[in-house]
């Protein structure tokens, strides 16, 4: 019975997507996701771990595991996916391809649940690739529009590069022990690094961060699903599962990459005018925190931050979707450009309230979930640095600076979007915050409040730690208090600075509509990472073109020359054989044949002729004897 329930939990979103595609009611797709949520919650409260296997090849089984960690995340994925489905009923209501859209959403959710269930690394990789395929299909949903197919391909191919490293790392491991729950000991450095690279690609860590901003071309609810608890979280989940077996030096690299990515995302978000790009760089930054947490040994804190981040980031993206939908009906200008917004709190009151709550959680303000989960990572980073050496303090220090940058770009975004005056005259839209829009936003905002994780709003632990059996190690109370104070100070300083620059009536706020984008600015372009991708891609194409010409003109030319030379040589050898070797032999044969024919003419069948020739012969012989 349990096996069938697990299978139903996996397949229900996909069935819902197919029913919506071939039927008339796309709302049915959300029922399949809801079924997965109910089953996940049932297993969660039952408290039993379930392990099974499927036979992939004769004698080769792939294990799956249903434990508290996977169940919590499956419930999270199902909940976020269901809210995205509900929100999309209004957001995609005018799209002709909405049935195809809901089918792809169901396929995406199915793939992610399968990834969370997988215990064998080969099975994990299969669903890992299915998640990548589903994200490619969703990012390129509006494939008829210019630039969208190329952006989807870029996101897909960058992930394939990282996935190649992941597969290589898996193949380098002992093939007899690829079940994660049965592993022990430490891996060698090379497979550890290769598997970490695979996780970096999926979670948009440096140098793979560029694809995530390109993925913004898809529908905004898709961005909420990709950024919140599904695709990009898969890399963090992989690191969470395998970090106990990774080489210690590889974990150090993971911590450094995560920290640098968090800082990179925070500083780039400050320079963006596109509301979805601000949130995209924010996601890159927050994923950097999670990766950093795994690297410094705070796996439970990273998982906690993944959980809280899913709520407030999904709320922010769906809120951005409501804003964009409103702007699409109000102006012909770019509906995602913050320079065209301002004063929207009056037109979108529910969106504003929920967006504000999720923004405060992202900024790390006390009484909100982001403060609790991020503190655990920074505190663990500080203790890790104290055990490593002085240079390692760059990790927690950059994490604190990133907390300041986060509050700064969050305050900037909220003030420029919702406060002040509309930057477009006579801004009016027929878009209304109907129930299918309000409800997901309210649920996600409520899930961003501290009370659902711990009674103490200043704590950095929650029931999630106890559920997965990974409580943080004992921390120095003094260090914990200092880090908490510094983090709070960074958040307040960022918000105060944002208010001083971007408050209503300020010079910057009034002139923001006329601010031009400088495509040459390094921060505006995210350090030109995507430009590097394009440059590298062009270089590969040029190299391929060059090697093709070398192959056609040099290699093929040499082969053709050798072939022609062989033919000519064989013809010369044939002539020598025919006229020099076979010629004399054939001449002797011809002469012998002629002599034979001549001599044969001398013979006769009648006895008289033969006697006559015999007599002539005797006379000649006797004459020779007598006279010579």
């Amino acid at each position: 019975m349990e096996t069938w329930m697990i299978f139903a939990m996996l397949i229900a979103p996909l069935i819902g997507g197919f029913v919506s595609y071939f039927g008339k009611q796309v709302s049915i797709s959300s029922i399949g996701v809801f079924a997965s949520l109910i089953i996940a919650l049932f297993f969660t409260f039952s408290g039993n771990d379930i392990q099974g296997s499927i036979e992939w090849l004769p004698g080769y089984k792939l294990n799956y595991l249903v434990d508290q960690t996977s169940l919590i995340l499956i419930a999270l994925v199902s909940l976020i996916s269901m809210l995205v489905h509900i929100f999309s009923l209004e957001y995609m209501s005018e799209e002709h391809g909405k049935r195809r859209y809901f089918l792809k959403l169901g396929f995406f959710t199915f793939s992610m649940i399968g990834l969370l269930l997988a215990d064998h690394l080969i099975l994990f990789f299969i669903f890992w690739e299915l998640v990548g395929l589903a994200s490619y299909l969703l990012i390129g949903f509006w494939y008829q529009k210019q630039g969208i197919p190329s952006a989807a391909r870029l996101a897909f191919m960058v992930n394939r590069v990282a996935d190649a490293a992941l597969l290589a790392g898996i193949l380098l491991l002992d093939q007899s022990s690829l079940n994660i729950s049965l592993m022990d000991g430490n891996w060698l450095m090379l497979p550890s690094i290769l598997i970490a690279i695979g996780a970096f690609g999926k979670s948009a860590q440096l140098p793979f961060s560029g694809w995530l901003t390109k993925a913004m071309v898809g529908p905004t609810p898709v961005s909420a699903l990709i950024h919140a608890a599904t695709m990009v979280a898969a890399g963090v989940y992989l690191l969470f599962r395998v970090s106990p077996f990774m080489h210690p030096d590889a974990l150090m690299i993971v911590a450094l990459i995560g920290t640098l990515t968090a800082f990179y995302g925070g500083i780039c978000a400050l320079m963006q005018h596109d509301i979805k790009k601000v949130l995209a760089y924010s996601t890159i930054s927050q994923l950097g925190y999670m990766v950093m947490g795994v690297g410094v040994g705070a796996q439970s804190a990273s998982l906690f931050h993944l959980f809280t981040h899913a709520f407030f980031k999904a709320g922010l993206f769906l809120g951005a979707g409501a804003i964009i939908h409103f702007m699409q009906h109000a102006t012909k200008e770019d509906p995602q450009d913050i320079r065209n917004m301002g004063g929207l709190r009056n037109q979108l009151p529910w969106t504003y309230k929920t967006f504000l709550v999720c923004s405060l959680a992202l900024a790390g303000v006390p009484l909100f979930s982001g403060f609790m989960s991020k503190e655990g990572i920074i505190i663990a980073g500080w203790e890790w640095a104290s055990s490593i050496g002085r240079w390692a303090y760059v990790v927690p220090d950059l994490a604190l600076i990133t907390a300041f940058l986060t509050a700064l770009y969050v305050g900037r975004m909220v003030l420029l979007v919702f406060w002040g005056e509309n930057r477009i005259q006579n801004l009016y839209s027929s878009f209304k915050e109907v129930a299918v829009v309000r409800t997901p936003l309210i649920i996600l905002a409520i899930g961003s409040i501290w009370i659902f994780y711990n009674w103490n709003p200043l704590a950095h632990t929650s029931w999630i730690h106890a559920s997965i059996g990974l409580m943080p190690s004992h921390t120095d109370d003094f260090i914990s208090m200092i880090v908490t104070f510094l983090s709070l100070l960074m958040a307040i300083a960022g918000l105060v600075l944002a208010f001083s620059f971007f408050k209503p009536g300020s010079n910057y706020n009034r002139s923001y509509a006329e601010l031009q984008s400088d495509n040459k600015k390094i921060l505006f372009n995210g350090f030109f990472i995507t430009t590097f991708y394009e440059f590298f891609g062009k270089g590969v194409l040029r190299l391929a073109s060059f090697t093709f010409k070398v192959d056609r003109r040099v290699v093929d030319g040499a082969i053709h020359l050798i072939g022609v030379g062989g033919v000519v040589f064989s013809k010369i050898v044939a002539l020598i054989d025919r006229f020099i070797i076979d010629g004399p032999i054939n001449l002797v044969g011809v002469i012998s044949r002629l002599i034979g024919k001549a001599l044969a003419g001398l013979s006769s069948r009648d006895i008289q002729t033969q006697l006559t020739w015999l007599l002539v012969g005797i006379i000649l012989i006797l004459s020779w004897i007598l006279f010579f």
Side-chain angles (χ1 to χ4, degrees):
M1 182 65 181
E2 290 178 338
T3 302
W4 284 107
M5 290 181 68
I6 293 171
F7 180 73
M9 179 173 64
L10 170 65
I11 204 72
L14 187 60
I15 294 176
F18 273 108
V19 173
S20 296
Y21 182 76
F22 292 105
K24 295 182 179 180
Q25 295 294 328
V26 294
S27 58
I28 296 176
S29 60
S30 59
I31 298 176
V33 182
F34 180 70
S36 295
L37 174 61
I38 295 300
I39 297 173
L41 291 175
F42 171 79
F43 281 123
T44 300
F45 290 117
S46 67
N48 296 325
D49 292 352
I50 304 168
Q51 191 167 19
S53 62
I54 55 175
E55 190 170 23
W56 185 38
L57 297 172
Y60 195 84
K61 294 183 178 180
L62 305 179
N63 286 17
Y64 61 85
L65 175 66
V66 180
D67 61 0
Q68 288 301 305
T69 301
S70 60
L71 285 172
I72 288 172
L73 293 181
I74 289 172
L76 177 66
V77 168
S78 301
L79 176 60
I80 299 298
S81 180
M82 185 181 69
L83 295 177
V84 168
H85 275 74
I86 295 172
F87 185 89
S88 297
L89 293 175
E90 172 64 22
Y91 191 89
M92 304 295 290
S93 60
E94 300 176 5
E95 290 289 335
H96 296 295
K98 60 183 178 182
R99 291 191 301 170
R100 173 169 55 89
Y101 168 82
F102 282 97
L103 172 60
K104 292 177 180 179
L105 280 185
F107 175 53
F108 192 102
T109 308
F110 154 79
S111 303
M112 191 63 198
I113 292 176
L115 184 147
L116 295 171
L117 287 173
D119 185 43
H120 195 284
L121 283 176
I122 296 296
L123 184 62
F124 186 95
F125 185 78
I126 291 171
F127 281 104
W128 180 277
E129 291 301 294
L130 289 178
V131 169
L133 174 61
S135 66
Y136 167 73
L137 295 174
L138 285 168
I139 293 168
F141 175 76
W142 287 315
Y143 61 88
Q144 306 94 336
K145 297 182 180 180
Q146 185 177 2
I148 288 182
S150 60
R153 284 195 302 270
L154 185 143
F156 185 77
M157 294 309 299
V158 169
N159 274 276
R160 298 293 74 73
V161 172
D163 292 353
L166 172 61
L167 180 60
I170 293 173
L171 295 177
L172 287 175
L173 297 176
D174 183 0
Q175 297 299 304
S176 64
S177 59
L178 291 182
N179 291 309
I180 300 173
S181 60
L182 302 178
M183 288 181 177
D184 57 5
N186 286 335
W187 298 339
L188 297 175
M189 184 65 173
L190 181 58
S192 298
I193 288 295
L194 289 173
I195 290 176
I197 289 173
F200 293 162
K202 193 71 80 179
S203 290
Q205 301 296 286
L206 291 173
F208 303 100
S209 304
W211 74 263
L212 194 56
T213 56
K214 290 290 186 180
M216 296 298 95
V217 297
T220 305
V222 169
S223 301
L225 192 60
I226 290 177
H227 287 242
T230 50
M231 179 179 176
V232 294
V236 177
Y237 177 71
L238 172 62
L239 290 175
F240 172 85
R241 285 294 197 186
V242 303
S243 59
F245 321 111
M246 293 180 69
H247 194 281
D249 291 341
L251 286 175
M252 191 176 299
I253 294 174
V254 168
L256 291 171
I257 292 294
T259 306
L260 292 173
T261 304
F263 178 75
Y264 160 82
I267 198 170
C268 289
L270 279 172
M271 303 301 295
Q272 304 306 311
H273 303 309
D274 187 317
I275 188 171
K276 289 179 68 175
K277 281 195 174 182
V278 174
L279 295 176
Y281 279 113
S282 171
T283 298
I284 292 171
S285 181
Q286 297 305 305
L287 289 169
Y289 272 118
M290 299 175 206
V291 172
M292 165 194 159
V294 173
V296 300
Q299 291 89 345
S300 57
S302 291
L303 193 70
F304 182 27
H305 194 53
L306 187 155
F307 194 92
T308 60
H309 177 263
F311 280 93
F312 61 73
K313 187 51 64 68
L316 289 171
F317 264 108
L318 292 185
I323 294 167
I324 293 169
H325 214 47
F326 173 87
M327 296 296 295
Q328 284 175 336
H329 291 78
T331 177
K332 295 181 180 180
E333 302 293 335
D334 186 354
Q336 298 179 193
D337 198 324
I338 299 175
R339 290 170 294 187
N340 299 327
M341 301 175 189
L344 296 184
R345 72 185 188 283
N346 298 320
Q347 289 95 339
L348 301 170
W350 282 103
T351 301
Y352 166 66
K353 294 171 185 176
T354 56
F355 199 94
L356 180 62
V357 170
C358 294
S359 296
L360 292 173
L362 173 59
V365 175
L367 305 182
F368 299 95
S369 59
F371 172 81
M372 303 171 68
S373 57
K374 190 161 57 178
E375 293 316 295
I377 296 175
I378 299 177
I379 291 171
W382 200 282
E383 294 187 334
W384 173 84
S386 65
S387 65
I388 297 295
R390 290 184 178 180
W391 69 267
Y393 280 101
V394 69
V395 169
D397 290 347
L398 274 180
L400 286 172
I401 295 172
T402 303
F404 166 77
L405 294 172
T406 304
L408 182 57
Y409 69 70
V410 165
R412 168 185 179 268
M413 177 174 59
V414 171
L415 289 168
L416 291 175
V417 172
F418 292 103
W419 287 85
E421 300 295 331
N422 293 135
R423 299 183 186 89
I424 297 179
Q425 297 297 324
N426 301 319
L427 187 68
Y428 172 77
S429 174
S430 59
F431 174 75
K432 303 296 182 183
E433 295 174 306
V434 295
V436 292
V437 173
R438 291 198 308 267
T439 304
L441 294 176
I442 293 172
I443 292 174
L444 293 169
I446 292 174
S448 301
I449 300 174
W450 96 95
I451 197 68
F452 295 98
Y453 306 98
N454 197 311
W455 291 106
N456 181 5
L458 299 181
H460 56 271
T461 57
S462 72
W463 57 267
I464 296 176
H465 294 76
S467 298
I468 64 177
L470 283 176
M471 294 298 293
S473 58
H474 178 70
T475 59
D476 188 298
D477 292 336
F478 178 74
I479 291 179
S480 178
M481 182 177 64
I482 291 297
V483 173
T484 301
F485 173 75
L486 290 175
S487 182
L488 178 59
L489 183 63
M490 293 293 103
I492 293 174
L495 292 176
V496 169
L497 187 62
F499 184 78
S500 64
F501 272 96
F502 309 110
K503 64 184 177 182
S506 66
N507 293 332
Y508 192 90
N509 194 306
R510 287 197 302 269
S511 62
Y512 185 64
E514 287 76 35
L515 191 64
Q516 299 297 315
S517 298
D518 189 350
N519 293 327
K520 296 181 180 179
K521 286 185 177 179
I522 189 171
L523 296 180
F524 181 80
N525 289 279
F527 288 81
F528 295 100
I529 287 182
T530 54
T531 305
F532 171 75
Y533 295 161
E534 295 170 359
F535 176 79
F536 181 77
K538 290 178 180 177
V540 171
L541 290 175
R542 288 172 181 170
L543 178 62
S545 177
F546 172 75
T547 54
F548 171 73
K549 291 178 181 178
V550 170
D551 176 69
R552 186 177 61 182
R553 298 177 182 178
V554 179
V555 178
D556 289 352
I559 293 174
H560 292 161
L561 179 62
I562 292 172
V564 171
V567 172
V568 172
F569 179 74
S570 64
K571 290 185 178 294
I572 293 173
V573 171
L575 292 173
I576 293 173
D577 179 69
R578 181 183 303 173
F579 294 106
I580 297 178
I581 297 177
D582 292 345
I585 296 174
N586 293 334
L587 180 61
V588 171
V590 170
I591 294 172
S592 299
R593 187 167 59 249
L594 293 174
I595 294 173
K597 286 182 179 181
L599 294 176
L602 298 176
S603 65
S604 177
R605 295 179 181 180
D606 56 280
I607 190 64
Q608 294 88 345
T609 305
Q610 293 179 4
L611 290 173
T612 300
W613 284 111
L614 176 62
L615 180 61
V616 171
I618 292 172
I619 292 171
L620 291 174
I621 293 171
L622 290 175
S623 299
W624 178 269
I625 294 172
L626 293 174
F627 299 105
F628 296 98

